[in-house]
Amino acid sequence: MASNRTFTSPALAFELVARCSVTRARASILTLPHGTVNLPIFMPVATQASLKGLTPEQLEGTGCRLCLNNTYHLGLKPGQEVLDAVGGAHKLQGWNHNILTDSGGFQMVSLLKLANITEEGVRFLSPHDGSPMLLTPEHSMSLQNSIGSDIMMQLDDVLVTTSPDKARMREAMERSVRWLDRCIAAHKNPDTQNLFCIIQGGLDLDMRRECCREMLARDTPGIAIGGLSGGEAKDDFCRVVAACTELLPDLKPRYVMGIGYPEDLVVSVALGADMFDCVWPTRTARFGNAITKHGVLNMKREMYAADFGPIEEGCGCQCCRPIEEDGAMGITRAFVHHNAAKETVAAHLLTLHNVWYQLNLMRQAREAIIEDRFPAFVKEFFGNLYADRSSYPSWAVDALKGVGIDLLAT
Amino acid sequence: MRFEVLKAALKDGAAARVGRLAFAGRTPIDTPNFLGVTSRGALPHVTPDNVDKHLATTGAFMALEDFIERPQQYLKRIPPIYATPTTKKHSTRLHSFTALPQSVTTVLNTRRIPAVPSPMGNTNASVSVFTSTGFQALTTKEYLSAVQTLRPDIAIPPADLTNSPITPNSKRALRMAERTDEWVVEWFSELSESSSPPTTFAPILPISYSIQWEYVSRLAEDYLPTAQLSGLAIHDPDLLPDLAEHCAPLLPLPRLSLADPRTPHHILRQIALGIDLFALPFINTISDAGLALSFTFPPPPAPSPENTTAPGPQPLAVDLSLPQHAASLAPLTPIRTCPCYACTAHHAAYVHHLLAAREMLGWTLLQLHNHAVVAAFFAGVRDTLAQGGPEAFEAAARQFALAYEPEFAEGVGERPRARGYQYKSVGGGEGKRNKPAWGKLDGEGAEGAQAGEKGAEV
């Protein structure tokens, strides 16, 4: 059902709005069961059905219309029984916009010391009582059906990308494909919930390409590139994203999982990716860090104690907007400094600011793509972030060169 | 400032009354009413936009000790709050620094309530205060200059207090009265030059009237006629009958209670004694404990006496950490008509989940709810007093005492922090309130493993 601009599947419509004439960047509109979102997009992570201290109303105020929940965490608390009784995660958290749920595969790697992965599923010890538990593709689907997320992720066999064990990497990649088949078979609500596949294959580009072909054959409504952001070199990360996007169809959303640093977002958009998520912006907010176009500022530093400017000059978030404007709070760096690590309010304020920053960065990128001035946007972004060109990270320079932007050219 | 008593008891002396306290540019406060108690300039867990949008709270209690810490490396630094620029929207430094909505009336005191007792004690010229970097001396002169710089709507002069539950011996009590007297004299004499002196609520000490009578009569004789004294900050409301008997001229002044009532029963008692305005730290504590307040005033009608299955006294609050709330889509408490954001946009199951997951939003929602319940409670008190007079109020208060349990349950949930810079271990050895978040990797001594929850297959 694809015209040359739109793709529709039962629970999703994707419309390609514009394409950068230089890079692979795209602007598009994604329509999901709980409304429309503009791509490229950053999705804040409300792991346990709450975006770290913000009310759903405040999150809505940042412009967010698609956020993440985590299947693994919601499966433990509140648990499937409660999710069924309440009627899903939207009802649980009072969020009437879209939710994407990660399958819980990544948490197996990041949180569990004794995860044992077999063909059947992931066996691990319960973090609550140490009893053995099993997460299978079928069970992950059943949980995500109970959650009712608008986008569900398949259970995948995640391995740290830096693993030197090639045979194990291949096994993980192939198993992820087999698990996708089991996920598709077990998915009870294909008309109301989208299931995305996840491309695995570590840093081996051939294996990634092979995985792309296998996954694409299963024709899921969207495609994720997984297994990254696990400590690999940035060059390798860019190569993998570029290799995958090259093979992916134009008319499906492409989601790079676990990406959140502003540079990574901008470069990944240039490489043709559309969707990103990361806990970093909200986590770093709780550590007292503010993301700005000139880099990350640690508000706990003494230099901000008597700084009565906004967190970021010119920022349009509720904390930073000029005080005369309606709804602006008039938060100063001094107040954030005063309460950082002392009162939760400071964490909430920085979370509001950081989420707004990330969403706005993607909004700006989108506008630039539509007006076909994306390369200039990328150059301005890096120009703001670094004092001079010599300090640009080489991985970004190289990756952008590969798609036609020469950051170092005058 | 303007304070009018709209309806007072006809009998002599201090008693429950309805009034209105108004400051130019702020939302008028109908009394009896309460102030939200801030910590470091913030209402705990509630960002200024939510204060504006979702709280009916019209006043904020602040302590200067929350703003004047001296970090080890920067011992010489001048507290930044003194240099805050003001704007049209935030016309005082206190509003500007804390970003509290302009409509909120601010009250500034030297110390938080409850204050951590200081091991150093006060001197003739300073109060010992507890900042986030430790105890330090705050001279009465510095405090006075802070008041003039920050321009709170109500300023409470320094009082010489022990901040201890133990009643001071008569020698200490006498010194408390003498010092406070001297400080208040100093306060008013320094301010007599000021072109726009702050609205002053003089402290009434928690010692017997006979020891502080000299000080209290000075207030009435010297500072009331000059209109320098605008109100009283009362540490022990039980002194009000004595005040009424001996210092009747002070009676028209608004009375702010700093006596930290623990429950609504204590609040009602203090209202009956004649308190107009309360600083209520217990609301913050209750929210941190995972409790949602569930009382109303007047209380629900008592069941008929022949109904033998009548329930006993109702709890004052609902412990949302308890498992029966896990899937409840009802509002947070049996107050089905609670108009707060938490009860209208969310439900008990969500707050239960947030508490179980230790997500900060749980405490935010509880703060919004609990402040709304207390605001409705005071509105009920005012209505009863305005419509039925003191007799109706006393009858409703008696019924309230029967309808609700005398104390709050402890609350089984974990707290946002077991203790912090604003608490001090007294005597030590209290043990840990919350489970450790991280255990040892090999599982030894990891208490998390003993937690009772039996998970199903994930």
Side-chain angles (χ1 to χ4, degrees):
Chain A
M1 261 154 293
S3 73
N4 58 353
R5 274 231 173 278
T6 57
F7 161 81
T8 53
S9 78
L12 170 154
F14 180 89
E15 183 191 346
L16 193 59
V17 174
R19 235 193 269 259
C20 172
S21 59
V22 178
T23 67
R24 293 189 199 158
R26 321 120 42 83
S28 51
I29 299 172
L30 181 64
T31 305
L32 293 166
H34 285 83
T36 292
V37 292
N38 289 336
L39 309 188
I41 191 176
F42 176 80
M43 305 174 285
V45 187
T47 307
Q48 310 199 74
S50 155
L51 193 90
K52 300 301 171 190
L54 301 196
T55 63
E57 186 186 58
Q58 284 175 306
L59 180 59
E60 198 177 34
T62 65
C64 175
R65 294 293 178 272
L66 170 54
C67 73
L68 260 78
N69 280 177
N70 190 284
T71 304
Y72 165 79
H73 287 95
L74 291 192
L76 288 174
K77 282 174 192 170
Q80 189 162 18
E81 233 173 87
V82 169
L83 284 166
D84 285 335
V86 168
H90 293 88
K91 275 226 175 118
L92 176 73
Q93 61 204 296
W95 177 247
N96 298 322
H97 305 292
N98 296 295
I99 294 176
L100 183 153
T101 41
D102 190 7
S103 62
F106 183 74
Q107 276 62 39
M108 299 297 129
V109 180
S110 67
L111 292 181
L112 301 169
K113 47 182 171 133
L114 285 175
N116 182 13
I117 302 175
T118 65
E119 191 57 32
E120 194 187 0
V122 187
R123 216 169 259 294
F124 62 98
L125 300 181
S126 159
H128 284 313
D129 54 10
S131 63
M133 299 170 109
L134 179 68
L135 180 66
T136 61
E138 290 74 20
H139 190 63
S140 176
M141 285 301 106
S142 154
L143 269 174
Q144 296 190 66
N145 285 148
S146 292
I147 290 170
S149 44
D150 302 276
I151 299 176
M152 312 159 52
M153 302 308 299
Q154 73 157 110
L155 185 69
D156 52 349
D157 185 352
V158 188
L159 206 57
V160 278
T161 43
T162 45
S163 167
D165 186 346
K166 217 162 180 182
R168 174 70 187 93
M169 191 61 85
R170 169 155 288 280
E171 186 195 12
M173 184 273 276
E174 287 172 351
R175 180 173 289 149
S176 294
V177 176
R178 290 193 294 275
W179 281 4
L180 174 61
D181 288 330
R182 285 169 60 187
C183 284
I184 292 172
H187 182 12
K188 287 196 292 276
N189 311 321
D191 290 344
T192 51
Q193 292 182 270
N194 298 289
L195 172 61
F196 281 23
C197 64
I198 304 177
I199 293 164
Q200 290 292 346
L203 302 178
D204 182 329
L205 299 187
D206 286 332
M207 216 189 293
R208 284 277 179 180
R209 290 192 185 102
E210 189 185 336
C211 191
C212 278
R213 282 189 291 274
E214 288 293 332
M215 293 293 186
L216 290 181
R218 272 88 181 158
D219 197 26
T220 54
I223 298 139
I225 302 170
L228 294 170
S229 78
E232 71 279 347
K234 290 278 178 86
D235 297 293
D236 291 331
F237 161 78
C238 293
R239 268 195 288 275
V240 170
V241 174
C244 293
T245 54
E246 204 168 19
L247 295 178
L248 298 180
D250 278 342
L251 296 181
K252 280 186 182 176
R254 307 155 175 182
Y255 165 28
V256 181
M257 304 178 78
I259 297 303
Y261 294 138
E263 303 96 298
D264 298 10
L265 296 182
V266 169
V267 171
S268 300
V269 168
L271 296 179
D274 307 314
M275 302 165 71
F276 313 93
D277 79 284
C278 191
V279 296
W280 172 77
T282 43
R283 177 173 295 166
T284 207
R286 300 197 295 286
F287 298 159
N289 293 319
I291 311 175
T292 75
K293 67 176 173 192
H294 300 297
V296 175
L297 310 179
N298 185 348
M299 288 292 135
K300 280 159 44 184
R301 293 179 62 188
E302 178 67 16
M303 60 188 286
Y304 300 117
D307 184 338
F308 299 106
I311 300 168
E312 179 179 12
E313 198 68 56
C315 167
C317 85
Q318 261 204 302
C319 303
C320 300
R321 266 162 43 199
I323 177 74
E324 300 77 31
E325 285 182 21
D326 245 13
M329 280 189 267
I331 302 297
T332 58
R333 290 174 170 180
F335 185 60
V336 176
H337 171 90
H338 181 67
N339 276 329
K342 293 201 171 70
E343 281 295 330
T344 59
V345 163
H348 302 339
L349 294 171
L350 283 178
T351 304
L352 266 179
H353 168 82
N354 285 357
V355 167
W356 196 91
Y357 176 89
Q358 298 282 96
L359 296 178
N360 188 55
L361 179 66
M362 291 295 96
R363 271 194 290 264
Q364 290 175 331
R366 185 171 197 274
E367 278 167 30
I369 296 165
I370 292 174
E371 292 163 17
D372 204 13
R373 50 175 179 80
F374 182 69
F377 167 82
V378 173
K379 284 183 182 171
E380 191 192 337
F381 169 80
F382 277 93
N384 279 330
L385 200 51
Y386 294 94
D388 60 276
R389 287 191 181 143
S390 59
S391 44
Y392 286 0
S394 62
W395 65 267
V397 172
D398 294 344
L400 289 168
K401 202 177 273 170
V403 289
I405 298 180
D406 187 355
L407 271 190
L408 301 179
T410 43
Chain B
M1 183 203 83
R2 192 180 152 80
F3 180 66
E4 326 168 59
V5 176
L6 303 175
K7 187 150 186 169
L10 292 173
K11 66 176 179 180
D12 289 337
R17 60 185 185 180
V18 181
R20 170 172 274 205
L21 184 62
F23 289 87
R26 314 269 180 256
T27 307
I29 302 176
D30 291 317
T31 63
N33 214 324
F34 75 110
L35 307 165
V37 175
T38 63
S39 174
R40 302 187 64 79
L43 198 66
H45 311 302
V46 186
T47 47
D49 56 333
N50 280 336
V51 171
D52 200 23
K53 227 186 281 177
H54 295 307
L55 281 190
T57 311
T58 46
F61 179 89
M62 303 197 192
L64 188 67
E65 66 180 350
D66 278 352
F67 300 98
I68 54 170
E69 61 261 28
R70 290 195 213 110
Q72 195 75 64
Q73 307 91 319
Y74 309 99
L75 286 174
K76 293 268 162 64
R77 95 169 181 196
I78 293 161
I81 190 172
Y82 298 157
T84 318
T86 57
T87 61
K88 213 170 180 181
K89 201 156 162 187
H90 288 142
S91 62
T92 72
R93 291 203 164 89
L94 212 47
H95 280 95
S96 182
F97 188 79
T98 60
L100 271 183
Q102 180 83 326
S103 60
V104 172
T105 303
T106 53
V107 180
L108 189 69
N109 190 32
T110 48
R111 307 221 47 197
R112 298 166 70 108
I113 26 174
V116 174
S118 161
M120 274 113 78
N122 305 329
T123 69
N124 285 336
S126 71
V127 180
S128 180
V129 299
F130 187 45
T131 71
S132 68
T133 52
F135 289 100
Q136 70 189 49
L138 170 67
T139 64
T140 53
K141 289 220 158 47
E142 186 193 339
Y143 178 59
L144 186 61
S145 110
V147 163
Q148 288 171 290
T149 308
L150 301 179
R151 308 191 58 75
D153 295 311
I154 298 174
I156 302 170
D160 185 25
L161 299 170
T162 57
N163 295 309
S164 144
I166 303 158
T167 316
N169 61 34
S170 55
K171 196 171 148 211
R172 176 75 181 97
L174 191 60
R175 196 167 68 211
M176 285 166 67
E178 285 170 359
R179 264 190 193 154
T180 307
D181 189 12
E182 279 165 28
W183 290 345
V184 167
V185 170
E186 179 193 33
W187 174 278
F188 284 122
S189 84
E190 300 258 334
L191 283 177
S192 59
E193 315 283 285
S194 166
S195 56
S196 56
T199 300
T200 301
F201 276 36
I204 301 296
L205 301 168
I207 51 177
S208 69
Y209 179 76
S210 58
I211 298 178
Q212 57 181 326
W213 73 271
E214 257 179 299
Y215 160 61
V216 176
S217 21
R218 184 192 309 279
L219 291 176
E221 285 157 24
D222 292 2
Y223 302 118
L224 192 62
T226 60
Q228 284 169 289
L229 180 69
S230 306
L232 301 175
I234 294 169
H235 286 276
D236 181 2
D238 283 325
L239 289 172
L240 278 168
D242 287 333
L243 279 187
E245 193 181 327
H246 303 288
C247 270
L250 292 176
L251 287 184
L253 296 181
R255 307 160 195 149
L256 164 66
S257 167
L258 301 181
D260 187 9
R262 288 197 323 275
T263 69
H265 303 296
H266 294 81
I267 297 175
L268 289 173
R269 184 168 172 279
Q270 295 189 13
I271 289 173
L273 287 167
I275 294 293
D276 301 305
L277 197 55
F278 291 84
L280 293 178
F282 85 81
I283 307 176
N284 298 341
T285 322
I286 288 294
S287 300
D288 279 358
L291 301 176
L293 297 178
S294 62
F295 53 81
T296 55
F297 193 92
S304 54
E306 49 276 20
N307 185 353
T308 45
T309 58
Q314 296 301 300
L316 289 167
V318 174
D319 186 350
L320 287 170
S321 298
L322 296 174
Q324 60 261 38
H325 304 292
S328 161
L329 295 179
L332 272 46
T333 67
I335 312 171
R336 291 297 181 234
T337 52
C338 179
C340 82
Y341 169 74
C343 283
T344 49
H346 298 285
H347 41 66
Y350 189 38
V351 178
H352 172 84
H353 164 70
L354 294 170
L355 292 171
R358 284 179 57 76
E359 280 286 341
M360 291 180 284
L361 181 59
W363 301 306
T364 303
L365 294 179
L366 284 171
Q367 280 283 68
L368 297 181
H369 170 81
N370 289 339
H371 279 81
V373 168
V374 175
F377 168 86
F378 276 102
V381 167
R382 290 193 300 272
D383 283 350
T384 310
L385 276 169
Q387 283 158 25
E391 297 76 27
F393 171 72
E394 273 160 37
R398 271 195 304 276
Q399 203 191 326
F400 188 92
L402 296 173
Y404 292 103
E405 289 172 358
E407 296 286 342
F408 289 108
E410 168 131 28
V412 298
E414 294 201 346
R415 311 301 200 259
R417 49 180 168 235
R419 64 181 70 89
Y421 62 89
Q422 75 276 52
Y423 307 114
K424 192 86 188 143
S425 168
V426 182
E430 288 106 328
K432 291 197 164 84
R433 165 166 258 149
N434 292 343
K435 277 186 303 191
W438 308 100
K440 283 195 183 135
L441 219 141
D442 54 11
E444 273 174 41
E447 283 182 37
Q450 306 163 5
E453 257 170 279
K454 275 266 182 278
E457 189 181 69
V458 183

